[in-house]
Amino acid sequence: MSNPVIGVPVVGVPVADQDKAIEFYTEVFGFTTRMDAPLPQLGSRWIVLAPAGAGAETTGIALIQAHDGLPTGVETGIRLAVADAAAKHAELTERGVPVGELLRWPGTPPMFTATDPDGNGLEIIEQ
């Protein structure tokens, strides 16, 4: 193979309002803004967030402006790692973030689902 894939720098999440999405992901999950550049040809911005303190090798989340063919309310497949799933579950519940049951299966880390304000599904996993 002459030109293999060398990484996964970002994964995209469709959002209705990029500013509200930045607020949610930074305040609720502690992400920081890696990039926020205008895309005048699309009438939106290229926004990439990542966990605070994460190095360049850590995959970021691109908050992509939703449009026809790219709706919000999707299961993203994104797994966010936390040190204590039960504590994060309690925190998100207290903040009013929709969360699923905290799952504790033998041989797997504790985990649960969460939904962002646009209805996009995320998985929270203890690491």
Side-chain angles (χ1 to χ4, degrees):
M1 181 172 291
S2 62
N3 194 15
V5 171
I6 59 170
V8 180
V10 297
V11 294
V13 174
V15 298
D17 182 316
Q18 290 178 305
D19 288 319
K20 285 183 182 177
I22 290 171
E23 182 179 336
F24 175 80
Y25 282 91
T26 57
E27 290 182 10
V28 173
F29 292 117
F31 280 53
T32 58
T33 303
R34 243 188 214 169
M35 181 182 296
D36 188 344
L39 293 173
Q41 66 277 28
L42 299 177
S44 65
R45 296 156 28 215
W46 179 249
I47 300 168
V48 177
L49 306 178
E57 71 286 350
T58 300
T59 301
I61 293 177
L63 301 176
I64 302 168
Q65 184 65 53
H67 55 78
D68 288 342
L70 184 64
T72 61
V74 299
E75 175 50 53
T76 66
I78 296 171
R79 272 61 178 160
L80 302 176
V82 297
D84 184 337
K88 192 64 174 179
H89 188 272
E91 175 193 334
L92 295 180
T93 299
E94 185 176 304
R95 287 175 162 260
V97 175
V99 295
E101 177 185 353
L102 179 60
L103 303 174
R104 296 178 184 269
W105 295 322
T108 64
M111 65 185 85
F112 64 95
T113 60
T115 305
D116 76 7
D118 286 299
N120 297 309
L122 305 160
E123 307 290 328
I124 315 301
I125 300 177
E126 185 172 303
Q127 187 171 17

